[in-house]
Amino acid sequence: MAVVFLLGLLFARSAMAYEDLPIETFTLKNGMPVVLIENHRVSAVTHMLCYRVGAGDDFPGRSGLAHYNEHMMFQGTKKVPVGEFGRIVSRNGGAFNAFTTQDYTAYHVSIATDRLPLLMQLEADRMLNLAPTQANFDKEREVIIEERRMSVENQPEALLSEAMYAMLFRNHPYHNSVIGWMHEMQALTRENVLDFHRQFYHPANAVLVVAGDITRKQLELLAEKYYGSLPAGEKYVRNWRSEPPQRGPRHIEIHHVNVKQPVLERWYIAPGVNTAGKDVVVPAFVLAQVIGGGTTSSLYQSLVVKQKIATGISADYDGINYGPGIFKIEAIPAPGVTLPQLEDAIDKEVKTSLAQNVHAQDLQRAKTLLTAELVFARDGMEGMARTVGALIMSGLSPDYFNQWPKLVDKVNAEDVHKAAADIFDSNGSVTGYLLPQEGEK
Amino acid sequence: MRGMAVFLSCLFMACSAHAAAKVVEIEGDKGQKAWLIEDHTLPVVTARIEFRQGGVAYDEAGKEGLAYFAMQMLTEGAGDMDSLAFNRALERHAIRIGVDAQEDATAISLQTLSEFKNDAFSLLALAINKPRFDEDAIARVASAISSTLKEMQENPTYRASRKWKELAFPNHAYHNLRLGTLDSIVLINQADLQKYAGTVLACNHRIISVVGDITPKETKQFLATLAPEKECKPSATTVTDVKPVDGAVAPVIVKQDIPQTVVQASFPALMRNDPHYYAMVVLNYVFGGGGIFDSRLGQEIRNKRGLAYYADSDVNEFEHAAYIAVHFGTRNEQANTAVGIFQEEVKKLHDKGVTKEELDGAKRYITGSFPLSLDSQNSLAEYLTQMQRFNLGIDYLDKRNSLINAVTLSQVNDLAKVLFAHTPIIVMAGAPVDTNKEKQK
């Protein structure tokens, strides 16, 4: 017994052996896929309808359209007047929301399992029968414009971010933000939305993800009844422009009257699961954790603790996308330090990370964190539906969730080094400075 | 579809035999108590410890931000581990520790894979019983907080709430700012932090909540591990009950050069233990808690007129004060119009109250959606904390829906006459235009 235990300690388990998440997939008779994650903690489900269309599919010159369409989905069908969807769901104890990304649009409702038939009727109806009035279009256009004011125009950091996306992606649709450019949003019409909705919103482009207290058999019956009978419609074949080679680093400096704390952002195009393959992104996640994922990271230890030239620094990577991934470094200069000085220090640290391999212990801790994340993510059905939905909308199988621990376990120092060499290509970088108004400190 | 809104069957929590999660009280050998929900669905344990009489309101004048600072320091070194060693120890097993500072109390939360819970509990105990408060870590955290404060000062929501606190609690410690000020932060030293540890962290007025893959016996061991080692010297500071002050006739303006004005308003409210608290929750749902489609504010400001992206209200319960807060944001040119609509809706509610249909709808949402908030360990731990803080009873989760269902129309409408008789404080951060009633500040 003691010997087995000792061995267990020596070969410290790098892949925590947890049960696979029970994911079931089936297809309705019209081809629409359904994914179920059973979870019987409370007698409710999260029902999430994902459409394989997002801001990246906005019509040319019509940025913000996919998001506007998402808003209009709550603004009335032939059978259900404006506001009734929300009221009916709420008064049946349901909590609802929706969101648009570059890649997809998702409508999620968490509700008692026995209200699913009602919900599915409503969802099937608005999937195909959107019919808001002109007044509702006009009013809701104002709402999305206020949303842009709130989340972008009121916030200098968001203005920088929007500008940096446009510089990082010069040809790829990720160039434009989900919310859209103000002048294009103001020009969006009712016809734009109806055309968009008609072109994309049908079962051929939808995936239903359900997490919660329902069995496959029960769900199959319901989904077949309410969605399976709908005409599939034409499957959308995405044909996004890709990004040409990046020939040199780009730089942008924004001075804004409301800035009191300068900020530096350094972004790179990075591997995405479709652009580079589902195995290649995993070392990039590890790299982000090691180089900038918290106070033990190399950027933080070097720039904040040792050199004291930053008060905070972090790295963030996401490659679970339909398009390319992005690797971001954000840093706050210490008082008296200029942004060029800070940028220099970051470059030196990036060079150092390219010159040496990550330490075994740092690598191990990063892998442990990344693996554990998916165990913690199982706590709560809405989070699960969203996590699995995001995988599917990136083109991955939902089972990627269960493959993840093994993929992480495989990552070695050499893989991380390769990822760094691939990502930290200064030609592919955009650096942003956010500064107070000129003449102010 | 209209008929769908009228559903005769009772909502699942209200009448199903399925009981809410079972809560038990565990007592430690030194008189410490914890409330536990044992749940083995996930191999994860979540714990939350609240330190009473140690929140932001207890910061002494000149040292505002101390409670927040002290909590930030708890993961910056403990026992014989400096910051780096301590954080590596957490990461090694993916142990998550978070800290928080609210008005009355501070809190530390833990989430761990159950296989590492013993390590997690030891590290947590070290953090709260033997924090190091190393000088270099203090300097680093002070810099980081100063940067955060500067960033917050750019944010109109923060600027509005800072002004609101001054107006609502002119002579009471609830006006203290959570992170303090740039001046007060640099005055906080090691002696202050050690004093905080001795007067707050070491003392036995802790609220402890535990949820997840852990038995009562293990919870008792957890309590033993957590037992304070330092002598407790409770602070002499007391915080008395206070009613937020009524507003002036005109909104108070916090000028800022941004395109969208952020509006925050408030009314004094019933305290948590008031017998009509549940009537107030129902009233708030109708007023602004029911979202875009099921509340007066949501409908009138957003859904009908498109004036805002958000327009809502919520109930805020401190131990010594309570208020209903209102939030909406709209472009400067419409800010005064939006405030006018808000005031109209308040008057309508005061004069005519809510309808029976609205009352029923509110109850159906509040009771029906209740289980949705019980589906994750984090939200269960928060509930357990609230239940202990306000003495709601260990069976509260089972009683809660019947308390809501017992609310009558006359209770709600009598309350509306009382609450909405007050003149609300209204703060507008931005550059509202075209009024001759505004009071410039």
Side-chain angles (χ1 to χ4, degrees):
Chain A
M1 269 296 216
V3 172
V4 171
F5 189 65
L6 186 62
L7 283 176
L9 281 179
L10 283 176
F11 305 145
R13 239 176 348 152
S14 50
M16 284 161 265
Y18 291 102
E19 279 175 32
D20 277 357
L21 186 71
I23 307 176
E24 299 240 33
T25 315
F26 54 92
T27 312
L28 304 180
K29 62 179 186 282
N30 62 1
M32 181 171 138
V34 180
V35 179
L36 168 64
I37 305 131
E38 281 190 58
N39 171 349
H40 301 280
R41 190 192 231 145
V42 296
S43 52
V45 293
T46 295
H47 172 288
M48 190 163 103
L49 253 180
C50 304
Y51 294 92
R52 291 187 190 275
V53 63
D57 307 294
D58 286 343
F59 297 153
R62 297 282 182 263
S63 58
L65 181 53
H67 173 248
Y68 187 22
N69 182 73
E70 178 225 303
H71 272 243
M72 295 316 296
M73 283 279 278
F74 293 87
Q75 293 295 313
T77 69
K78 295 180 186 104
K79 282 192 211 150
V80 180
V82 53
E84 276 306 297
F85 177 93
R87 245 185 316 278
I88 293 170
V89 169
S90 294
R91 294 184 184 195
N92 279 278
F96 64 89
N97 213 327
F99 61 89
T100 309
T101 75
Q102 294 284 4
D103 299 341
Y104 68 101
T105 314
Y107 301 82
H108 55 94
V109 179
S110 298
I111 200 164
T113 309
D114 67 3
R115 300 300 139 113
L116 262 183
L118 169 61
L119 176 64
M120 287 184 170
Q121 258 185 294
L122 291 166
E123 289 286 11
D125 175 47
R126 68 176 180 168
M127 185 193 294
L128 297 179
N129 302 313
L130 208 57
T133 64
Q134 183 63 52
N136 283 326
F137 274 101
D138 294 337
K139 173 264 304 181
E140 201 64 21
R141 191 188 309 111
E142 294 306 307
V143 172
I144 58 172
I145 287 172
E146 288 309 318
E147 188 179 346
R148 185 188 154 86
R149 289 195 177 106
M150 175 192 83
S151 59
V152 181
E153 313 225 328
N154 261 19
Q155 304 193 37
E157 285 207 47
L159 288 168
L160 178 67
S161 197
E162 179 179 64
M164 288 180 69
Y165 272 101
M167 292 176 83
L168 192 64
F169 296 103
R170 295 147 309 144
N171 202 44
H172 190 280
Y174 286 178
H175 175 99
N176 287 348
S177 64
V178 172
I179 193 84
W181 302 108
M182 178 66 97
H183 67 290
E184 292 188 349
M185 291 168 74
Q186 286 166 333
L188 290 172
T189 68
R190 176 170 185 261
E191 284 63 44
N192 295 150
V193 172
L194 294 177
D195 286 344
F196 188 90
H197 187 264
R198 191 178 311 120
Q199 182 174 339
F200 297 118
Y201 274 57
H202 33 254
N205 298 324
V207 176
L208 175 63
V209 180
V210 175
D213 184 24
I214 188 166
T215 64
R216 176 189 170 133
K217 197 154 163 227
Q218 291 166 328
L219 181 60
E220 236 171 330
L221 276 167
L222 286 174
E224 207 56 82
K225 176 175 179 188
Y226 292 102
Y227 300 126
S229 54
L230 302 174
E234 197 178 312
K235 193 179 178 70
Y236 169 47
V237 178
R238 204 171 244 167
N239 189 19
W240 281 353
R241 302 180 201 176
S242 56
E243 201 47 35
Q246 315 228 336
R247 306 284 183 201
R250 278 136 289 157
H251 222 277
I252 179 167
E253 194 169 304
I254 291 185
H255 292 262
H256 193 285
V257 65
N258 289 328
V259 172
K260 299 203 182 331
Q261 173 60 67
V263 180
L264 184 148
E265 297 276 351
R266 163 68 69 76
W267 295 3
Y268 302 86
I269 287 193
V273 287
N274 284 320
T275 58
K278 64 184 176 72
D279 289 2
V280 180
V281 303
V282 187
F285 278 107
V286 175
L287 174 69
Q289 181 62 47
V290 166
I291 202 173
T295 64
T296 63
S297 68
S298 56
L299 277 171
Y300 188 93
Q301 285 296 314
S302 174
L303 271 70
V304 180
V305 178
K306 296 195 185 98
Q307 297 181 60
K308 298 184 176 31
I309 66 166
T311 63
I313 188 165
S314 62
D316 178 70
Y317 163 75
D318 196 5
I320 309 286
N321 295 325
Y322 193 88
I326 308 183
F327 194 101
K328 295 178 178 176
I329 296 172
E330 178 181 298
I332 312 280
V337 173
T338 67
L339 292 185
Q341 285 170 326
L342 183 57
E343 187 179 349
D344 248 358
I346 291 173
D347 279 330
K348 285 200 177 70
E349 192 56 39
V350 164
K351 243 196 175 130
T352 307
S353 77
L354 285 170
Q356 53 192 220
N357 264 349
V358 61
H359 290 306
Q361 288 180 11
D362 294 336
L363 178 64
Q364 188 50 51
R365 285 196 328 273
K367 286 161 67 166
T368 300
L369 287 171
L370 287 168
T371 310
E373 221 175 291
L374 257 56
V375 181
F376 293 127
R378 298 191 199 191
D379 188 30
M381 34 180 215
E382 186 182 310
M384 276 318 309
R386 289 179 70 141
T387 302
V388 173
L391 294 178
I392 299 169
M393 291 291 118
S394 305
L396 294 165
S397 143
D399 193 57
Y400 190 81
F401 190 96
N402 291 325
Q403 294 166 27
W404 177 261
K406 300 171 202 103
L407 290 171
V408 172
D409 190 38
K410 265 188 356 189
V411 173
N412 58 33
E414 181 57 36
D415 297 326
V416 178
H417 191 264
K418 262 194 249 166
D422 180 26
I423 292 168
F424 294 141
D425 163 18
S426 63
N427 281 338
S429 72
V430 175
T431 307
Y433 288 178
L434 185 65
L435 290 158
Q437 200 84 76
E438 309 248 43
E440 279 176 40
K441 193 175 174 290
Chain B
M1 288 277 179
R2 272 195 189 267
M4 285 299 184
V6 181
F7 234 78
L8 295 174
S9 70
C10 53
L11 287 169
F12 52 121
M13 271 312 293
C15 60
S16 77
H18 175 94
K22 184 161 165 52
V23 185
V24 297
E25 184 171 273
I26 307 292
E27 195 167 324
D29 289 328
K30 297 181 184 168
Q32 292 184 86
K33 290 193 169 68
W35 280 15
L36 164 70
I37 293 175
E38 193 178 349
D39 176 359
H40 302 283
T41 21
L42 255 198
V44 172
V45 180
T46 301
R48 191 171 168 82
I49 302 167
E50 190 167 279
F51 301 98
R52 308 193 75 168
Q53 293 154 49
V56 175
Y58 294 81
D59 288 345
E60 45 177 89
K63 305 260 181 175
E64 292 87 357
L66 173 60
Y68 177 84
F69 201 136
M71 296 311 287
Q72 294 293 310
M73 289 301 298
L74 296 190
T75 55
E76 294 285 350
D80 54 14
M81 285 181 272
D82 67 6
S83 176
L84 183 58
F86 186 82
N87 282 288
R88 282 179 170 164
L90 290 176
E91 288 180 356
R92 222 164 269 136
H93 297 309
I95 296 164
R96 298 174 162 184
I97 289 184
V99 295
D100 193 11
Q102 302 292 341
E103 282 71 14
D104 299 301
T106 50
I108 190 165
S109 63
L110 172 79
Q111 195 158 62
T112 177
L113 300 170
S114 27
E115 67 175 299
F116 301 122
K117 64 178 181 289
N118 291 331
D119 287 297
F121 295 161
S122 301
L123 288 166
L124 179 67
L126 268 180
I128 66 180
N129 292 330
K130 291 186 173 164
R132 287 173 67 91
F133 301 133
D134 290 330
E135 293 285 6
D136 59 343
I138 291 172
R140 185 164 40 80
V141 169
S143 283
I145 295 175
S146 297
S147 290
T148 304
L149 271 169
K150 286 181 194 157
E151 282 183 311
M152 281 162 67
Q153 283 167 14
E154 301 169 4
N155 187 323
T157 305
Y158 171 73
R159 292 161 68 95
S161 74
R162 190 174 55 180
K163 175 56 69 179
W164 176 84
K165 281 188 175 189
E166 268 177 48
L167 297 170
F169 303 110
N171 303 308
H172 189 281
Y174 277 153
H175 67 203
N176 284 355
L177 297 174
R178 196 164 140 253
L179 268 67
T181 65
L182 290 170
D183 295 328
S184 67
I185 280 299
V186 296
L187 293 177
I188 290 167
N189 58 36
Q190 198 183 61
D192 296 321
L193 295 164
Q194 283 163 345
K195 184 174 169 207
Y196 185 85
T199 55
V200 176
L201 302 177
C203 293
N204 224 355
H205 28 265
R206 298 168 171 178
I207 294 175
I208 303 172
S209 308
V210 183
V211 180
D213 186 21
I214 182 171
T215 64
K217 184 161 170 223
E218 289 167 333
T219 305
K220 195 164 172 197
Q221 283 163 5
F222 172 51
L223 288 177
T225 311
L226 281 186
E229 298 185 21
K230 239 183 160 116
E231 192 207 324
C232 164
K233 304 182 181 83
S235 156
T237 314
T238 52
V239 172
T240 52
D241 287 357
V242 68
K243 242 186 150 63
V245 167
D246 276 12
V249 169
V252 172
I253 298 181
V254 178
K255 266 212 157 286
Q256 191 177 14
D257 186 3
I258 44 176
Q260 186 184 84
T261 297
V262 169
V263 182
Q264 292 178 6
S266 68
F267 295 89
L270 301 179
M271 301 284 280
R272 185 59 181 86
N273 294 116
D274 189 297
H276 289 122
Y277 170 81
Y278 299 97
M280 184 176 66
V281 169
V282 171
L283 174 61
N284 178 68
Y285 179 89
V286 175
F287 178 49
I292 309 153
F293 304 111
D294 213 13
S295 76
R296 299 284 182 95
L297 292 179
Q299 276 285 85
E300 297 302 322
I301 295 178
R302 173 169 160 167
N303 197 40
K304 282 191 188 162
R305 296 176 175 82
L307 285 175
Y309 173 69
Y310 65 99
D312 52 65
S313 68
D314 52 54
V315 171
N316 294 265
E317 297 289 340
F318 299 162
E319 292 188 43
H320 300 286
Y323 61 97
I324 289 178
V326 176
H327 323 91
F328 52 95
T330 186
R331 61 193 178 286
N332 295 329
E333 297 76 10
Q334 295 288 346
N336 290 307
T337 305
V339 168
I341 292 164
F342 155 68
Q343 288 168 323
E344 263 172 48
E345 289 308 311
V346 170
K347 185 166 197 307
K348 271 192 223 161
L349 270 178
H350 171 271
D351 295 348
K352 303 195 205 123
V354 316
T355 66
K356 181 86 176 41
E357 199 223 350
E358 284 174 319
L359 176 82
D360 290 342
K363 286 185 184 181
R364 290 166 61 83
Y365 174 78
I366 297 166
T367 57
S369 66
F370 183 53
L372 301 179
S373 63
L374 304 178
D375 95 319
S376 83
Q377 292 190 7
N378 278 318
S379 59
L380 284 169
E382 290 218 34
Y383 259 113
L384 292 183
T385 306
Q386 266 183 54
M387 284 158 59
Q388 293 176 80
R389 187 192 310 138
F390 291 116
N391 293 315
L392 302 181
I394 203 159
D395 56 348
Y396 174 75
L397 297 176
D398 292 322
K399 285 188 337 218
R400 191 267 196 178
N401 274 356
S402 54
L403 291 165
I404 294 284
N405 279 325
V407 169
T408 67
L409 189 62
S410 61
Q411 283 170 353
V412 172
N413 290 340
D414 288 348
L415 190 59
K417 282 203 155 37
V418 170
L419 292 187
F420 294 129
H422 290 268
T423 306
I425 295 171
I426 302 175
V427 179
M428 302 171 77
V433 296
D434 275 354
T435 180
N436 44 26
K437 285 194 278 182
E438 65 192 44
K439 181 171 157 212
Q440 300 273 339
K441 271 271 166 139

